[in-house]
Amino acid sequence: MQEKRYTLSVLVENTPGALARIAGLFSGRGFNIDSLCVAETLDPTLSHLTLVTHGDDQILEQILKQLRRLIDVYKVVNVTEEGDHVEREMALIKVKAEKENRDEIFRICEIFRCKIVDVSPKTYVVEVTGDRDKLEAVIELLKPMGIKEIVRTGVIAIRREKKSA
Amino acid sequence: MTGAKMVIEALKREGVEVLFGYPGGAILDIYDELYKAPELKHVLVRHEQGATHAADGYARSTGKVGVVLVTSGPGATNTVTGIATAYMDSIPIVILTGQVPTRLIGNDAFQEVDITGITRPITKHNFLVKRIEDLPTIIKAAFYIAKTGRPGPVLVDIPKDIQQAKGEFNYPEEIKLRSYNPVYEPHIKQIERAYQLLEQAERPILLLGGGVISSNASEEAIKLAEKLKLPVVMTLMGLSAFPGDHDQSLGMLGMHGTYYANMAVANCDVLLAVGVRFDDRVTGKVDAFAPGAKIVHIDIDPSSIQKNVKVDVPIVADCKKALKRLLEFVKQGGKDKKYWEERFTDWWEQINIWKRRYPLVYKQEGDYIKPQFVIEKLWELTKGEAIISTEVGQNQMWTALFYKFKHPRSLITSGGLGTMGFGFPAAIGAQMGNPGKLVIDIAGDGSIQMNIQELATAVEQRLPIKIIILNNGFLGMVRQWQELFYGKRYSSVRFQVIPDFVKLAEAYGAVGMRITRPEEVEPALKKVLQTNSLVILDVHIAPEEGVFPMVPAGKATTEMILL
């Protein structure tokens, strides 16, 4: 069966063990976590968790069912399958900024609407926000300059509302 | 009211009659309150693992929630095997553990262990109580979660300062958890589809698992099977859901299933599976499992469905409710018993051919006592009117094959985890929950030594449990695998020292007997059954007897090694 990437949106009770339970479920059953993003919601008793995973249909079905089986899990949505949604990720990229490269870095930043958020004599820190493809593109373009370090947030996602009433 | 008192009050509100436990530093306050509550019976075990298995045996045999009370650190870690055993078999127990005071948590304090962390993957849910005001709700939730939906163990870790803290005791009558809403009622369209499949079936099989027992659905299962004249097979956990001596019972399927059960499943065209999870010991090679069958799968846990086996009609529901609905469709269908009987005549003929070809047998040879003979005799003498617990290994499989369980909850065995040392402490729990009934533990000489210390507990409680040790001087099941699959290299399966079980029984104040010859079996069993105290019967059996049929691991269930 074909492997696919899925972005899952999970609402969980904001309790100390909840995240450990979800992480443990994935490691214990041999599922993959490609990225994981957790934060509070408007309701402080619930946390929102965006999880990117991959697997075939059968594995995905098990992941969804096993997540829903956890007592602390309030809601699970497979945003990839549910249709139209927005995905965003942010990366901070520390890139070597030698004199001869600085213009090129600026150009790349302009094209991709990135920000330079820290400057040192020999490096820039570039902040880039977008979907996965955009981040990968920026990283590829900056690589020849010499990337010293990358920190990524992991994906967050939200469903689009229907455009017509 | 103190937290400790709240715990005792909560247990009373939950209708708890007996708890199994062992005191220690971090649980002293609760034990102090227990001292003042004589209506709560406490069974002092000799090892916390014993307490967990006893609570488990109590739960399996009565259908009520079993309760364990232990201290922090080693007291808590000793319960781990018992918790995992209950988790794998979906048994409702609540484990209350003491914990070091809140301010010391995380400090590597004396007898501190992160027991909620350790038990996270083997509990249905667990709690660490951090505020006294949460304590009553948490205990209520623990019992609610343990016994509803797919049942399972729930652990509550209570720090010592919370036990000592004072607060108001508001025990909720009912509890609703927004994140936990088990589905009980089946989707009626799915039930209709299931019925249509049965109507079109030519070679149907009814497969019953542990879920039928935990949802008390035996009556409905029997009704359905009898009305439609369905052949019935059971998983190890499903044994006792349908009477073993019923002429529609084909017994157990799977790795050590009967020839005819496995053949029938392999050749059926509709498999109605109720309360099972298609464990690898049941399916063998998955691709070859019921290859031509449309599968209807009823289970309360959605994650059991489509996990191991592809299912045509999934039904997420309580087994009892689903079978009741299915029976309504049968009634509406208006076909009488005779219709079904005639419809499946050819199928039954084929099954009877399989039955005649390879019946469940063993060879009585030489002067050795055959273990199967012991179980058979025991069944004859008790007429199925006993609660039988088993250890794990050959003793368990011989019991599963040769004792024909009659009533639901009369077999207490560790199916999923396969825990050696389970049977005897579980028998203690079963006897506590069923004071007037005959409780028998079928053991091996290996398994019984894993929790032998509980003899003291049982004698102390004056429990007239009968322990029958099928003593072959080997770790028999492992030896059997080594014989068949490891070139007879018998690595570490022979004990050089086995205790004298007769003297051992006497040392604990119990009765001990030993037999070595076939003609002694019947009189010895009779004597055992007449003895009104704890008895160990040490039966020296044929040392190299194997369990057959056997499907080698990973093979199709039709590829059986037969005797």
Side-chain angles (χ1 to χ4, degrees):
Chain A
M1 255 190 275
Q2 214 191 333
E3 292 225 337
K4 269 171 74 179
R5 284 175 74 85
Y6 296 95
T7 306
L8 310 181
S9 173
V10 188
L11 275 176
V12 298
E13 298 287 343
N14 190 2
T15 54
L19 180 59
R21 258 177 245 284
I22 289 171
L25 166 67
F26 274 74
S27 65
R29 293 192 182 264
F31 303 145
N32 302 292
I33 300 181
D34 298 334
S35 79
L36 179 66
C37 219
V38 196
E40 249 184 32
T41 60
L42 271 181
D43 176 353
T45 64
L46 286 174
S47 294
H48 186 272
L49 199 141
T50 311
L51 197 149
V52 179
T53 182
H54 65 270
D56 60 29
D57 290 355
Q58 203 247 342
I59 289 175
L60 176 77
E61 186 178 338
Q62 267 302 305
I63 290 175
L64 295 173
K65 284 176 167 176
Q66 294 291 349
L67 278 172
R68 289 183 180 126
R69 196 154 86 108
L70 295 176
I71 308 286
D72 279 338
V73 170
Y74 178 58
K75 197 174 179 192
V76 184
V77 177
N78 179 355
V79 287
T80 305
E81 303 269 277
E82 290 267 311
D84 220 3
H85 66 280
V86 185
E87 282 192 14
R88 286 293 177 270
E89 185 175 0
M90 188 173 92
L92 296 171
I93 306 165
K94 193 179 280 172
V95 62
K96 279 191 197 155
E98 305 290 346
K99 216 174 194 153
E100 62 272 23
N101 286 337
R102 287 184 192 161
D103 284 351
E104 175 66 9
I105 295 172
F106 266 115
R107 267 195 298 279
I108 293 168
C109 285
E110 205 169 44
I111 294 167
F112 287 92
R113 280 185 266 168
C114 309
K115 279 192 271 181
I116 292 170
V117 292
D118 186 57
V119 177
S120 76
K122 285 188 176 163
T123 60
Y124 286 168
V125 174
V126 175
E127 176 196 310
V128 50
T129 306
D131 59 17
R132 196 182 156 80
D133 290 348
K134 177 176 165 184
L135 262 64
E136 297 294 334
V138 172
I139 290 165
E140 276 311 305
L141 289 168
L142 291 177
K143 256 187 195 164
M145 271 44 100
I147 292 175
K148 294 188 75 172
E149 198 181 342
I150 299 180
V151 180
R152 295 170 69 157
T153 57
V155 173
I156 54 169
I158 199 162
R159 275 188 287 177
R160 287 186 202 271
E161 284 299 310
K162 292 213 166 53
K163 293 286 191 293
S164 53
Chain B
M1 191 186 287
T2 64
K5 182 126 207 257
M6 285 185 194
V7 171
I8 299 300
E9 284 305 313
L11 293 179
K12 286 189 207 161
R13 298 277 181 100
E14 289 299 326
V16 174
E17 293 157 348
V18 55
L19 26 159
F20 302 89
Y22 206 101
I27 196 84
L28 269 168
D29 291 273
I30 294 177
Y31 269 90
D32 191 45
E33 284 302 329
L34 192 59
Y35 187 79
K36 301 169 205 161
E39 62 271 43
L40 282 180
K41 169 86 186 152
H42 178 263
V43 176
L44 176 62
V45 296
R46 294 302 184 268
H47 185 293
E48 290 90 345
Q49 185 187 352
T52 338
H53 292 326
D56 178 321
Y58 174 86
R60 288 182 205 240
S61 61
T62 63
K64 298 179 204 162
V65 178
V67 183
V68 179
L69 187 62
V70 295
T71 193
S72 64
T77 54
N78 277 344
T79 65
V80 167
T81 303
I83 295 173
T85 305
Y87 183 67
M88 289 290 273
D89 291 344
S90 309
I91 306 302
I93 58 173
V94 168
I95 307 98
L96 304 170
T97 52
Q99 181 56 282
V100 300
T102 321
R103 70 193 146 77
L104 288 180
I105 291 179
N107 272 0
D108 299 325
F110 176 66
Q111 293 196 330
E112 182 196 351
V113 76
D114 174 14
I115 196 63
T116 49
I118 290 171
T119 58
R120 208 169 277 134
I122 53 165
T123 48
K124 185 172 173 187
H125 198 59
N126 62 22
F127 298 92
L128 168 63
V129 186
K130 287 189 157 168
R131 303 185 319 169
I132 180 74
E133 49 276 35
D134 297 338
L135 182 60
T137 323
I138 286 179
I139 296 183
K140 181 81 199 173
F143 276 87
Y144 173 66
I145 292 169
K147 67 188 173 193
T148 52
R150 177 177 176 177
V154 178
L155 181 140
V156 183
D157 199 22
I158 313 171
K160 191 170 171 114
D161 56 325
I162 302 286
Q163 296 171 36
Q164 291 168 340
K166 286 198 168 153
E168 214 175 308
F169 181 68
N170 289 318
Y171 200 69
E173 281 290 317
E174 267 183 48
I175 194 160
K176 255 190 92 73
L177 302 168
R178 63 176 168 184
S179 308
Y180 173 68
N181 298 293
V183 172
Y184 292 99
E185 282 297 338
H187 201 295
I188 214 70
K189 273 265 168 280
Q190 295 294 83
I191 297 282
E192 191 178 358
R193 283 180 63 199
Y195 175 67
Q196 285 163 353
L197 278 181
L198 284 173
E199 230 179 11
Q200 291 152 15
E202 287 173 5
R203 302 181 308 280
I205 288 284
L206 177 59
L207 164 61
L208 305 177
V212 177
I213 291 167
S214 62
S215 75
N216 299 314
S218 282
E219 201 189 315
E220 288 76 11
I222 294 169
K223 244 189 213 163
L224 182 72
E226 288 185 340
K227 174 89 197 207
L228 271 59
K229 192 85 202 248
L230 299 172
V232 179
V233 302
M234 286 165 272
T235 66
L236 176 64
M237 295 308 298
L239 289 176
S240 84
F242 190 81
D245 58 352
H246 194 292
D247 56 11
Q248 281 171 248
S249 167
L250 308 185
M252 184 169 72
L253 83 166
M255 180 174 273
H256 288 294
T258 62
Y259 173 78
Y260 33 95
N262 281 337
M263 290 306 282
V265 170
N267 289 284
C268 70
D269 65 351
V270 171
L271 182 68
L272 174 55
V274 190
V276 301
R277 58 186 179 86
F278 293 112
D279 170 71
D280 57 286
R281 289 303 199 248
V282 162
T283 61
K285 189 175 163 196
V286 175
D287 302 336
F289 179 75
K294 294 261 186 233
I295 300 179
V296 180
H297 189 182
I298 303 173
D299 200 87
I300 197 154
D301 180 2
S303 74
S304 287
I305 296 174
Q306 312 283 25
K307 184 170 70 180
N308 302 328
V309 166
K310 198 100 192 80
V311 171
D312 299 280
V313 183
I315 299 173
V316 176
D318 172 67
C319 295
K320 191 182 182 81
K321 290 193 193 298
L323 288 177
K324 271 199 168 144
R325 290 271 176 270
L326 190 53
L327 280 165
E328 286 167 16
F329 274 96
V330 170
K331 205 170 172 192
Q332 279 168 30
K335 298 187 167 65
D336 63 358
K337 235 174 160 167
K338 208 167 152 230
Y339 167 86
W340 295 104
E341 205 173 310
E342 276 167 19
R343 178 161 181 97
F344 302 137
T345 309
D346 291 352
W347 180 222
W348 271 107
E349 218 157 86
Q350 175 59 57
I351 288 170
N352 288 328
I353 290 172
W354 287 323
K355 271 185 150 179
R356 281 193 299 272
R357 189 181 300 158
Y358 293 110
L360 189 60
V361 286
Y362 60 93
K363 283 187 195 130
Q364 186 59 61
E365 58 206 343
D367 267 350
Y368 283 126
I369 300 177
K370 287 296 178 112
Q372 302 92 330
F373 175 66
V374 179
I375 308 290
E376 238 176 30
K377 271 279 160 248
L378 186 67
W379 178 70
E380 274 175 41
L381 292 171
T382 56
K383 300 179 183 69
E385 298 298 331
I387 296 174
I388 309 270
S389 73
T390 77
E391 303 293 337
V392 164
Q394 290 183 315
N395 63 79
Q396 181 184 31
M397 290 300 117
W398 285 319
T399 307
L401 288 170
F402 288 89
Y403 196 91
K404 297 183 176 60
F405 293 93
K406 203 166 173 181
H407 307 294
R409 302 187 183 280
S410 62
L411 170 62
I412 313 289
T413 195
S414 166
L417 196 68
T419 308
M420 288 174 72
F422 168 80
F424 176 45
I428 292 177
Q431 187 78 82
M432 287 303 298
N434 301 270
K437 285 197 185 156
L438 177 61
V439 178
I440 303 168
D441 174 37
I442 311 279
D445 51 306
S447 299
I448 193 65
Q449 292 186 64
M450 279 211 187
N451 270 317
I452 193 93
Q453 77 285 347
E454 300 306 331
L455 279 172
T457 309
V459 173
E460 192 166 276
Q461 300 293 334
R462 299 175 191 278
L463 302 178
I465 297 166
K466 324 294 182 228
I467 303 172
I468 297 172
I469 303 176
L470 302 175
N471 186 346
N472 54 12
F474 277 115
L475 297 175
M477 189 56 96
V478 181
R479 195 208 61 80
Q480 181 172 340
W481 281 57
Q482 289 173 343
E483 179 187 335
L484 295 170
F485 312 119
Y486 290 85
K488 300 194 178 182
R489 293 181 297 278
Y490 295 127
S491 178
S492 300
V493 285
R494 171 144 229 161
F495 289 130
Q496 301 297 320
V497 173
I498 297 175
D500 180 332
F501 289 115
V502 175
K503 282 189 189 159
L504 190 80
E506 285 161 3
Y508 276 103
V511 178
M513 293 187 240
R514 176 176 300 116
I515 54 173
T516 54
R517 299 179 55 80
E519 64 272 19
E520 295 174 294
V521 170
E522 192 166 342
L525 284 177
K526 279 184 175 158
K527 212 167 147 196
V528 164
L529 295 175
Q530 281 157 12
T531 308
N532 195 26
S533 61
L534 197 140
V535 193
I536 292 182
L537 178 63
D538 181 20
V539 186
H540 286 210
I541 60 165
E544 303 210 336
E545 186 69 11
V547 180
F548 296 103
M550 178 176 196
V551 178
K555 288 271 168 72
T557 48
T558 46
E559 296 175 66
M560 286 166 270
I561 304 172
L562 295 153
L563 192 64

